Amino acid sequence: MSSSWGNQIKLSIFGESHGPAIGVVLDGLPAGEPLDLDVLLSFMDRRRPGQNRFSTPRKETDAPHILSGFYQGRTTGTPLAVVIQNSDTHSADYAQMSSVARPAHADYTGYLRYHGAQDPRGGGHFSGRLTAPLVAAGGIAKQILARRGVVVGAHIFSVGCQNDLPFDPVGLTAEELAAPGQKTFPVLDAKAGESMQQLIESCRMAQDSVGGVVECGVIGFPAGVGSPIFDGLENRLASLIFGIPAVKGIEFGAGFEASRHFGSQMNDPFRLENGQIRTTSNHHGGILGGISSGMPILLRAAFKPTPSISRPQETVDFQKMEPTQLSIEGRHDPCVVPRAVPCVEAATALALLDAWMEKIE
Amino acid sequence: MSSSWGNQIKLSIFGESHGPAIGVVLDGLPAGEPLDLDVLLSFMDRRRPGQNRFSTPRKETDAPHILSGFYQGRTTGTPLAVVIQNSDTHSADYAQMSSVARPAHADYTGYLRYHGAQDPRGGGHFSGRLTAPLVAAGGIAKQILARRGVVVGAHIFSVGCQNDLPFDPVGLTAEELAAPGQKTFPVLDAKAGESMQQLIESCRMAQDSVGGVVECGVIGFPAGVGSPIFDGLENRLASLIFGIPAVKGIEFGAGFEASRHFGSQMNDPFRLENGQIRTTSNHHGGILGGISSGMPILLRAAFKPTPSISRPQETVDFQKMEPTQLSIEGRHDPCVVPRAVPCVEAATALALLDAWMEKIE
Amino acid sequence: MSSSWGNQIKLSIFGESHGPAIGVVLDGLPAGEPLDLDVLLSFMDRRRPGQNRFSTPRKETDAPHILSGFYQGRTTGTPLAVVIQNSDTHSADYAQMSSVARPAHADYTGYLRYHGAQDPRGGGHFSGRLTAPLVAAGGIAKQILARRGVVVGAHIFSVGCQNDLPFDPVGLTAEELAAPGQKTFPVLDAKAGESMQQLIESCRMAQDSVGGVVECGVIGFPAGVGSPIFDGLENRLASLIFGIPAVKGIEFGAGFEASRHFGSQMNDPFRLENGQIRTTSNHHGGILGGISSGMPILLRAAFKPTPSISRPQETVDFQKMEPTQLSIEGRHDPCVVPRAVPCVEAATALALLDAWMEKIE
Amino acid sequence: MSSSWGNQIKLSIFGESHGPAIGVVLDGLPAGEPLDLDVLLSFMDRRRPGQNRFSTPRKETDAPHILSGFYQGRTTGTPLAVVIQNSDTHSADYAQMSSVARPAHADYTGYLRYHGAQDPRGGGHFSGRLTAPLVAAGGIAKQILARRGVVVGAHIFSVGCQNDLPFDPVGLTAEELAAPGQKTFPVLDAKAGESMQQLIESCRMAQDSVGGVVECGVIGFPAGVGSPIFDGLENRLASLIFGIPAVKGIEFGAGFEASRHFGSQMNDPFRLENGQIRTTSNHHGGILGGISSGMPILLRAAFKPTPSISRPQETVDFQKMEPTQLSIEGRHDPCVVPRAVPCVEAATALALLDAWMEKIE
């Protein structure tokens, strides 16, 4: 299997970059949940490239068509299918599969996996375009969570070595979570955002690309949800977030930083605050023993630089078994991180809703 | 659910720290695989604490008893159950559940999750002791992989800010992978190991603890195994490795470091070597698009400091809803990382065997 | 969950009778399998009602559109999505959900399950129309099996008390399996078919309906596929075939008849035939211990009479909580069995391919 | 996989007839459920052979040892493992695997499936003894259901052509459900029971065996639980009940009989009774569209005759590939049906609890 996920909510993503359509089936959603399609569209819109996001050529094709599971403005509880047409692809341009492996892409591994039968056009099923149905599904999950007081938000934590401010791990608010998504460039600190944008632009000029980190935060998620060992919130979140192309690392709370510190620094003391149990710090990222603690859930996902760069690169032709050089043409995003922000929100919302569904309804 | 995992191989771990026994059921193993129980015992032995590992009081209890699925020295293909007795636990000592939440432990979240019905003695099902069946299962998977030429090994990558040498990402050998496991303190660089041990010892003196990172490498795993999107090798490995207590982050290949670099630095050029396709560097950690590339698979898991420290800590009594102070008594390991090394190997071996089982047999 | 199924091949069916479209995603198909779309269309065509099947008003809407997973005439190995438009439905006619429970329908239970949020038009997700994507998926599975020498076929075993001849349990041939599907009314014995059609017609005249049994046979399926206990071929086949609306029973080989006989009668002696192990009789229906024996696989599924009959029926309004009478209008098929034949073939092919996928590729 | 099952409750059964022990892990049980171990033992006791059930040689070995998930008399919510020792098996007697296929047994198919590596002693993992852990698990599920007012009971519906009275499909009571289980021979009509016992005894005399049918009923299960298509109650129940060895058919409500009748006879009219919606008849067996209706759930499972008969039988040696004759020695139960009664109850209870767990807790 490849593209199915979930315990309570089964998620089945399908499609290739240049096929007729891409989409997702969500099976197991609670029944009777109102969905605001304008909110969904505007969430999906955040997946578009940087400042020009409202004018990209593929804009109109990204409208989600709900084929099932949605009736009179509410979820029915039966499978909800969303399809997004790939109307303006130029399939003929790609009719010949290239056997020249683009470095850091899945051309070669996909060829081995599918014995050459995979659709190679534009990356096929491996394309970043497949995050569109993920974002559609996650946008639906976000609305269902929001109605229960759970707010999910993310921002660019870093691009290369340029860092944004982190989310406040203890006092995180809905406003702070929502703010980045309302900006063209989703950061907390506008200054940091400008430096990042300059760095990205300089990569574009240099025919290069750059990586970055997305931080995602969640408030309002009830304490006591999740499970020990293999079905913990961290396991679930990681298994879904690694489904976003280019993710090479994930950490929760203090994460890798925790490995460099002492227990006396990292243990979060419990305290009472207005009759509620909270912690004075939040190095645990809202998850202890795989189970939510009631504190903000915090995670960071590391994205590698966009593999498609137009500089000449050394590689091989895996059918001729010959070394060769490759220059990747076309406009490519020198940094996927800005567009990855709603993807991480989407995956986070889906994983948390799935975990919570063991309890709610 | 909490403690079941797997697509081809179903893994079901059970037990509590102070119950009668802990164990694991492995369903879906290939039939007819010879298992060397001495090799298994010696692998499980690596999970014991540091230099005194051959003399710990619970030593004799950790012998695995295979109840099923193993006949005349070989796997039968039907479920293999392993049970490890908890013979010398002093259950009576713990008969009263404490409602004083140990910071950074799952006492409070477990209480919420199970409404107070969980077995609280010694951490119950959340105890690090539950890694013993994981290591037993992983030791079996390691042997099955080894017979097919796949070698899995790990070492302490860092303790606090003390770093070992990293595995050679391109030219990793079976010897390099096996070396750390043959030492009392599993590192590549003996000098670095000494510094780490001093740091751990100083933590013990200071009634404190420290975190660290385990690096795991795999060679011989065939190219073309795995799947895009949700069922990639990274997703599977992460979902299993977060089942080891205290893991707060995971990264593959260059991981978080990749997020701070340029595409021209991180893209691994393909090349031909003795008629085989390889890459000249290995920032991708042997996985592209969720699928193995044939290069060494490399991952690092970040462990937080041991939560149990004997210094007084601020916390709350979650039944009385009162603030209180807590001093955790008993001897606790000031750093779980040395014992976590075989745990990471075990989880890695299980995840890779599970992925590969879609093909082999 | 409701509409997902499978171990190796994940099947996700979506849609409602009067929504925009219905469809299915098949994840985990082997890569590189050629599919003949004409053969698929002609298989799907067998799901149409009796003798007038080429002229039904909804004919043109049942063309399957493959959105993904199919490239240059072959499966890609990534998810294959099929969508079937519901173009000529008259949604407005049904805009008001009726709270008068049609007897033997899922109106009332579906209302409870989905708290009134389900799409009630034409039965919604419970509609027999949802077998169209099942048949599409099964038609694909049939082609993949056929290329490996496995032939799946079914016929009407009985309508009411009118019986067809049974399949030859020992000497079943591909011709015998294919014959019923080539007829307008899929039986082996034309005479029996006439009696059945007369019985169906008399039910129509009497504003009544009638049930029946479909028998399905498979040859060429290799011995040794399946598993004991919960993942046997019988478990898998049953779990999928009960997904066809109106199925109320299933039996394998001698089935219920076996319960009325002696071991000396029912035990199938093994024998050698041209160097192959076979049995002289086939009361076990090709499955022993959940595993295929190499003999023809034989099963029968019992269908209840069509619940929609135009006679007045006693029932209740479950919102007003009042007794009432109901006369169901519109033309309804007085017997679903003829159209159910390809549904049972489809489900059988999917279950067997899924089981076999643990081995092949 | 072979021996894992479940959505909410994961069930993992392990063991072989003559290995050290057999058992089951139940993952996902609700926390805090009191379990009465005497009630459990007495339920498991019903699985023993006929009138001599309190004196069989293996009696003492069937005591279940709970290793985990049970603390201070209640479920903890973490995995509950039950182990049953095989203490008095004479493994040496069977040390040589026989390659003479017992007709209607899984010797030959199991050999193919596991390439000869399976444990052949006493049927190994295919043995009817593996129903002991199923009954243990089901006995736990029964207690959890009973506390919520759900009563599950079964009886021998028929042995050969001797029929018991059926359960009252509309007015079924807890007393009627409990009565058969309190008798040595679990029937409703004592007279019918005597005829059955005579028939079984005559089979024993004739070195033969006979099949039969078990009927299971459930009352108190809430309406509105289950799902359409693949995850309906019928699908779930069937997929579990076919895990009991020798089951060759299953039917719900009127089942196969429904296929021989008219809609006007089989449609169950809804009516109001004391403000509750019920049906005046119950041909639907309490399930409509895969979802419970609130009426008694009724199913029947058909068991083939015990395959082990001492008469000489024709068969083959599948290693020598030679025809041969076989006389099976030892005392074998000429009819498994009496002992199968609690197995069907157990499987039914597990499937219904699993389905209900999507809602309760």
Side-chain angles (χ1 to χ4, degrees):
Chain A
M1 269 80 59
S2 54
S3 310
S4 298
W5 184 91
N7 288 357
Q8 306 299 314
I9 299 175
K10 294 282 176 195
L11 198 62
S12 185
I13 285 184
F14 62 86
E16 291 92 32
S17 180
H18 290 67
I22 58 179
V24 60
V25 182
L26 280 150
D27 193 1
L29 288 177
E33 298 286 332
L35 296 182
D36 184 324
L37 297 189
D38 288 334
V39 171
L40 180 61
L41 264 168
S42 113
F43 179 61
M44 291 184 68
D45 226 41
R46 288 175 47 205
R47 213 189 114 264
R48 296 176 195 294
Q51 295 162 306
N52 308 309
R53 63 179 174 179
F54 300 107
S55 59
T56 54
R58 293 186 77 164
K59 180 183 165 194
E60 66 286 354
T61 69
D62 281 356
H65 298 284
I66 299 184
L67 298 187
S68 67
F70 185 66
Y71 180 62
Q72 294 183 333
R74 299 188 304 158
T75 59
T76 59
T78 52
L80 191 153
V82 179
V83 164
I84 302 166
Q85 300 296 321
N86 285 337
S87 59
D88 66 345
T89 56
H90 306 286
S91 306
D93 304 358
Y94 298 76
Q96 286 301 95
M97 195 202 66
S98 170
S99 56
V100 177
R102 290 172 298 165
H105 272 284
D107 300 335
Y108 170 59
T109 57
Y111 172 80
L112 293 177
R113 171 68 175 81
Y114 298 113
H115 319 305
Q118 80 281 11
D119 179 347
R121 297 169 297 167
H125 190 60
F126 293 88
S127 165
R129 181 154 171 76
L130 269 289
T131 56
L134 177 70
V135 169
I140 290 168
K142 272 192 74 168
Q143 293 192 30
I144 295 173
L145 288 170
R147 200 160 307 110
R148 288 163 169 83
V150 180
V151 182
V152 179
H155 68 115
I156 304 176
F157 184 79
S158 64
V159 169
C161 294
Q162 303 288 343
N163 286 346
D164 192 15
L165 295 169
F167 279 138
D168 177 348
V170 173
L172 188 61
T173 62
E175 291 67 36
E176 196 177 347
L177 285 168
Q182 289 155 359
K183 300 179 188 169
T184 311
F185 195 81
V187 288
L188 293 170
D189 175 6
K191 269 261 166 98
E194 277 168 39
S195 305
M196 291 175 187
Q197 285 172 285
Q198 282 167 17
L199 175 57
I200 294 171
E201 198 49 33
S202 72
C203 286
R204 187 192 310 274
M205 291 298 108
Q207 300 188 313
D208 208 341
S209 64
V210 65
V213 172
V214 171
E215 183 179 52
C216 186
V218 184
I219 61 168
F221 195 73
V225 174
S227 286
I229 309 201
F230 303 127
D231 230 12
L233 295 182
E234 286 141 330
N235 315 57
R236 289 187 190 222
L237 283 158
S239 78
L240 196 43
I241 286 171
F242 276 111
I244 305 170
V247 173
K248 294 303 277 187
I250 190 168
E251 60 182 3
F252 297 88
F256 277 85
E257 202 54 34
S259 77
R260 291 183 277 270
H261 285 79
F262 299 117
S264 58
Q265 298 168 312
M266 287 293 115
N267 284 2
D268 301 310
F270 287 103
R271 67 187 176 100
L272 284 168
E273 180 183 323
N274 303 325
Q276 285 206 304
I277 294 175
R278 294 177 56 83
T279 57
T280 55
S281 52
N282 185 13
H283 301 112
H284 70 288
I287 305 171
L288 285 172
I291 300 169
S292 56
S293 71
M295 292 298 292
I297 293 172
L298 286 165
L299 63 88
R300 278 173 299 283
F303 289 78
K304 69 179 182 184
T306 316
S308 294
I309 56 175
S310 41
R311 291 188 186 191
Q313 297 181 85
E314 298 298 319
T315 187
V316 298
D317 181 311
F318 51 78
Q319 285 188 320
K320 297 187 191 156
M321 289 302 272
E322 285 175 2
T324 184
Q325 264 209 351
L326 174 72
S327 294
I328 298 173
E329 288 172 30
R331 288 167 305 143
H332 293 96
D333 225 326
C335 184
V336 298
V337 177
R339 299 177 66 189
V341 170
C343 300
V344 174
E345 287 183 30
T348 300
L350 283 164
L352 293 180
L353 180 60
D354 183 61
W356 200 9
M357 287 285 293
E358 290 185 6
K359 293 222 159 188
I360 56 172
E361 200 181 355
Chain B
M1 268 81 59
S2 55
S3 309
S4 297
W5 185 89
N7 287 357
Q8 305 299 313
I9 299 174
K10 294 282 175 195
L11 199 62
S12 185
I13 284 182
F14 62 86
E16 291 91 34
S17 179
H18 289 68
I22 58 177
V24 60
V25 183
L26 280 151
D27 193 0
L29 287 177
E33 299 286 331
L35 295 182
D36 184 323
L37 297 188
D38 288 333
V39 171
L40 181 61
L41 265 168
S42 115
F43 180 61
M44 291 183 68
D45 226 41
R46 289 175 47 205
R47 214 189 114 264
R48 296 177 193 296
Q51 295 161 306
N52 309 309
R53 63 180 174 179
F54 300 107
S55 59
T56 53
R58 294 185 76 164
K59 180 183 163 193
E60 65 289 350
T61 67
D62 282 356
H65 298 283
I66 299 185
L67 299 187
S68 66
F70 185 66
Y71 179 62
Q72 295 183 332
R74 298 189 303 159
T75 60
T76 59
T78 52
L80 191 153
V82 180
V83 164
I84 301 165
Q85 300 297 321
N86 285 337
S87 59
D88 67 345
T89 57
H90 306 286
S91 307
D93 304 358
Y94 298 78
Q96 286 300 95
M97 195 202 66
S98 170
S99 57
V100 177
R102 290 172 298 163
H105 271 285
D107 301 336
Y108 170 58
T109 57
Y111 172 81
L112 292 176
R113 172 66 175 81
Y114 299 112
H115 319 303
Q118 79 282 10
D119 179 347
R121 300 169 297 166
H125 190 61
F126 293 89
S127 165
R129 181 156 171 75
L130 269 288
T131 55
L134 177 70
V135 169
I140 291 168
K142 270 192 76 168
Q143 292 192 31
I144 295 173
L145 288 171
R147 201 160 307 110
R148 288 165 169 84
V150 180
V151 183
V152 179
H155 68 116
I156 304 176
F157 184 81
S158 63
V159 169
C161 295
Q162 303 288 345
N163 287 345
D164 191 15
L165 295 169
F167 279 138
D168 176 347
V170 173
L172 188 60
T173 63
E175 291 68 37
E176 195 176 348
L177 286 168
Q182 289 155 359
K183 301 179 187 170
T184 310
F185 196 80
V187 288
L188 294 171
D189 175 6
K191 271 261 166 97
E194 279 169 37
S195 305
M196 291 176 187
Q197 285 172 285
Q198 283 168 17
L199 175 58
I200 293 172
E201 199 49 35
S202 73
C203 286
R204 186 191 312 274
M205 293 299 107
Q207 300 187 314
D208 208 341
S209 63
V210 65
V213 172
V214 172
E215 183 180 51
C216 187
V218 184
I219 61 167
F221 195 73
V225 174
S227 286
I229 310 201
F230 303 127
D231 230 11
L233 296 182
E234 287 141 331
N235 315 57
R236 290 186 190 224
L237 284 158
S239 78
L240 195 44
I241 286 171
F242 276 112
I244 305 170
V247 173
K248 295 302 277 189
I250 190 168
E251 60 182 3
F252 297 87
F256 276 86
E257 202 54 35
S259 76
R260 292 185 275 272
H261 285 78
F262 299 116
S264 56
Q265 297 168 312
M266 285 295 116
N267 284 2
D268 301 310
F270 288 103
R271 68 188 174 100
L272 284 168
E273 181 182 324
N274 303 326
Q276 286 206 305
I277 294 174
R278 293 178 58 82
T279 57
T280 54
S281 52
N282 186 13
H283 302 110
H284 71 287
I287 305 170
L288 285 172
I291 300 169
S292 56
S293 70
M295 292 298 291
I297 293 172
L298 286 165
L299 63 87
R300 278 173 299 281
F303 289 79
K304 69 179 182 183
T306 314
S308 292
I309 56 176
S310 39
R311 293 188 185 190
Q313 298 182 82
E314 298 297 321
T315 187
V316 299
D317 181 312
F318 52 76
Q319 285 188 321
K320 298 187 190 153
M321 289 302 273
E322 285 175 1
T324 183
Q325 263 209 352
L326 174 72
S327 295
I328 298 174
E329 288 171 30
R331 287 168 305 142
H332 292 97
D333 225 326
C335 184
V336 297
V337 177
R339 299 176 67 190
V341 170
C343 300
V344 175
E345 286 184 30
T348 300
L350 284 163
L352 292 181
L353 180 59
D354 183 62
W356 201 8
M357 287 285 293
E358 289 186 7
K359 292 222 158 189
I360 57 172
E361 202 183 351
Chain C
M1 267 80 57
S2 55
S3 309
S4 298
W5 185 89
N7 288 357
Q8 306 298 313
I9 299 173
K10 294 282 176 195
L11 199 61
S12 185
I13 285 183
F14 62 85
E16 291 92 33
S17 179
H18 290 67
I22 59 179
V24 60
V25 182
L26 280 151
D27 193 1
L29 287 178
E33 298 286 331
L35 295 182
D36 184 323
L37 298 189
D38 288 334
V39 171
L40 180 62
L41 265 168
S42 113
F43 180 61
M44 292 183 68
D45 226 41
R46 289 174 47 205
R47 216 188 111 264
R48 296 176 194 296
Q51 294 161 306
N52 310 309
R53 63 180 173 178
F54 300 107
S55 58
T56 54
R58 293 184 77 163
K59 180 183 163 192
E60 64 289 350
T61 68
D62 281 356
H65 298 283
I66 298 184
L67 298 187
S68 67
F70 186 66
Y71 179 62
Q72 295 183 332
R74 298 189 304 158
T75 59
T76 60
T78 51
L80 191 154
V82 180
V83 164
I84 302 166
Q85 300 296 321
N86 285 337
S87 59
D88 67 344
T89 57
H90 306 286
S91 307
D93 304 357
Y94 297 78
Q96 285 301 94
M97 196 203 67
S98 170
S99 57
V100 177
R102 289 172 299 164
H105 271 284
D107 301 335
Y108 169 59
T109 58
Y111 172 81
L112 293 176
R113 171 67 176 80
Y114 299 112
H115 318 304
Q118 80 282 10
D119 179 347
R121 298 169 297 166
H125 190 60
F126 293 88
S127 165
R129 181 155 172 76
L130 270 288
T131 55
L134 177 71
V135 169
I140 291 168
K142 270 191 75 168
Q143 293 193 30
I144 295 173
L145 288 170
R147 201 160 308 109
R148 289 163 170 84
V150 180
V151 183
V152 179
H155 69 114
I156 304 176
F157 184 79
S158 63
V159 169
C161 294
Q162 304 288 344
N163 286 346
D164 192 15
L165 296 168
F167 278 140
D168 177 349
V170 173
L172 188 60
T173 62
E175 291 68 36
E176 196 177 347
L177 285 168
Q182 289 156 359
K183 300 179 187 169
T184 310
F185 195 80
V187 287
L188 294 171
D189 175 5
K191 270 258 165 101
E194 277 169 39
S195 305
M196 291 175 187
Q197 285 173 286
Q198 281 168 17
L199 175 58
I200 294 172
E201 198 50 33
S202 73
C203 287
R204 187 191 311 275
M205 292 300 106
Q207 299 187 316
D208 208 341
S209 63
V210 66
V213 172
V214 172
E215 183 180 52
C216 187
V218 184
I219 61 168
F221 195 73
V225 174
S227 287
I229 309 201
F230 304 127
D231 230 11
L233 295 183
E234 285 141 332
N235 315 57
R236 290 187 190 223
L237 283 159
S239 78
L240 195 43
I241 285 172
F242 277 112
I244 305 170
V247 173
K248 294 303 277 189
I250 190 168
E251 60 182 4
F252 297 88
F256 276 86
E257 201 55 34
S259 76
R260 291 184 277 270
H261 286 79
F262 299 116
S264 57
Q265 298 167 311
M266 286 294 115
N267 284 2
D268 301 310
F270 287 103
R271 68 186 175 102
L272 285 166
E273 180 182 325
N274 302 325
Q276 286 206 305
I277 294 174
R278 294 176 57 82
T279 56
T280 54
S281 53
N282 186 12
H283 302 112
H284 70 288
I287 305 171
L288 285 171
I291 300 170
S292 54
S293 70
M295 292 298 291
I297 293 172
L298 285 166
L299 63 87
R300 279 173 298 283
F303 289 79
K304 68 179 182 184
T306 316
S308 292
I309 56 176
S310 40
R311 291 188 186 191
Q313 297 182 85
E314 298 298 318
T315 187
V316 299
D317 182 312
F318 51 78
Q319 286 188 320
K320 298 187 189 153
M321 289 302 272
E322 284 175 2
T324 182
Q325 263 209 351
L326 173 72
S327 295
I328 299 173
E329 288 172 29
R331 288 167 305 143
H332 292 96
D333 225 327
C335 184
V336 297
V337 178
R339 299 178 65 189
V341 170
C343 300
V344 175
E345 286 184 30
T348 300
L350 283 163
L352 292 181
L353 180 60
D354 183 61
W356 200 8
M357 287 286 292
E358 290 185 6
K359 293 221 158 188
I360 57 171
E361 202 183 352
Chain D
M1 267 80 57
S2 55
S3 309
S4 298
W5 185 90
N7 288 357
Q8 306 299 312
I9 300 173
K10 294 282 176 195
L11 198 63
S12 185
I13 284 183
F14 62 87
E16 290 92 33
S17 180
H18 290 67
I22 58 177
V24 60
V25 183
L26 280 151
D27 193 1
L29 287 178
E33 298 285 331
L35 295 183
D36 185 323
L37 296 189
D38 288 334
V39 171
L40 181 61
L41 265 168
S42 113
F43 179 61
M44 290 183 69
D45 226 42
R46 288 175 47 205
R47 214 189 115 265
R48 296 176 194 295
Q51 294 162 306
N52 309 308
R53 62 179 176 180
F54 299 107
S55 60
T56 55
R58 295 185 75 165
K59 181 182 164 195
E60 65 288 352
T61 68
D62 282 355
H65 298 283
I66 299 184
L67 299 187
S68 67
F70 186 66
Y71 179 62
Q72 295 182 332
R74 299 189 303 158
T75 60
T76 59
T78 52
L80 190 154
V82 180
V83 165
I84 302 165
Q85 300 297 322
N86 285 337
S87 58
D88 67 345
T89 57
H90 305 288
S91 307
D93 303 357
Y94 298 78
Q96 286 299 95
M97 195 202 68
S98 171
S99 55
V100 177
R102 290 173 297 164
H105 271 286
D107 301 335
Y108 169 59
T109 58
Y111 172 80
L112 292 177
R113 172 65 176 81
Y114 298 112
H115 319 304
Q118 80 282 11
D119 179 346
R121 299 169 297 168
H125 190 60
F126 293 88
S127 165
R129 182 156 171 74
L130 268 289
T131 55
L134 177 71
V135 169
I140 291 168
K142 269 192 76 167
Q143 292 192 31
I144 295 173
L145 288 170
R147 201 159 308 109
R148 288 164 170 84
V150 181
V151 183
V152 179
H155 69 115
I156 304 177
F157 183 80
S158 63
V159 168
C161 295
Q162 302 288 345
N163 287 346
D164 191 14
L165 296 169
F167 278 139
D168 177 347
V170 172
L172 188 60
T173 64
E175 291 68 35
E176 196 178 347
L177 286 168
Q182 290 155 359
K183 301 179 187 170
T184 311
F185 196 81
V187 287
L188 294 171
D189 175 5
K191 270 259 166 95
E194 278 168 39
S195 305
M196 291 174 186
Q197 286 173 286
Q198 282 168 17
L199 175 58
I200 294 172
E201 198 50 33
S202 72
C203 286
R204 186 190 312 273
M205 292 299 107
Q207 300 186 313
D208 208 342
S209 64
V210 65
V213 172
V214 172
E215 183 180 52
C216 188
V218 184
I219 62 168
F221 195 74
V225 174
S227 285
I229 310 202
F230 303 127
D231 231 10
L233 296 182
E234 286 141 331
N235 315 58
R236 289 186 191 223
L237 284 159
S239 77
L240 196 44
I241 286 171
F242 276 111
I244 305 170
V247 173
K248 294 303 276 188
I250 191 168
E251 59 181 5
F252 297 87
F256 277 85
E257 202 54 34
S259 76
R260 292 184 276 271
H261 285 79
F262 299 115
S264 56
Q265 296 168 312
M266 286 295 116
N267 285 1
D268 300 310
F270 288 103
R271 68 189 175 99
L272 285 168
E273 180 182 325
N274 303 325
Q276 285 207 305
I277 294 174
R278 293 178 57 82
T279 56
T280 55
S281 52
N282 185 13
H283 302 111
H284 70 288
I287 306 170
L288 285 171
I291 301 169
S292 56
S293 70
M295 291 299 290
I297 293 173
L298 286 165
L299 62 88
R300 278 173 300 281
F303 289 79
K304 69 179 181 183
T306 317
S308 292
I309 57 176
S310 40
R311 291 188 187 190
Q313 297 182 83
E314 298 296 319
T315 187
V316 298
D317 182 312
F318 51 77
Q319 285 188 322
K320 298 187 189 153
M321 289 302 271
E322 285 175 1
T324 183
Q325 264 209 352
L326 173 73
S327 294
I328 299 173
E329 289 170 29
R331 288 168 305 144
H332 291 96
D333 225 326
C335 184
V336 298
V337 177
R339 299 176 66 190
V341 169
C343 301
V344 175
E345 286 183 30
T348 299
L350 284 163
L352 292 180
L353 180 60
D354 182 63
W356 200 9
M357 287 285 294
E358 289 185 7
K359 293 221 158 187
I360 57 173
E361 200 181 354

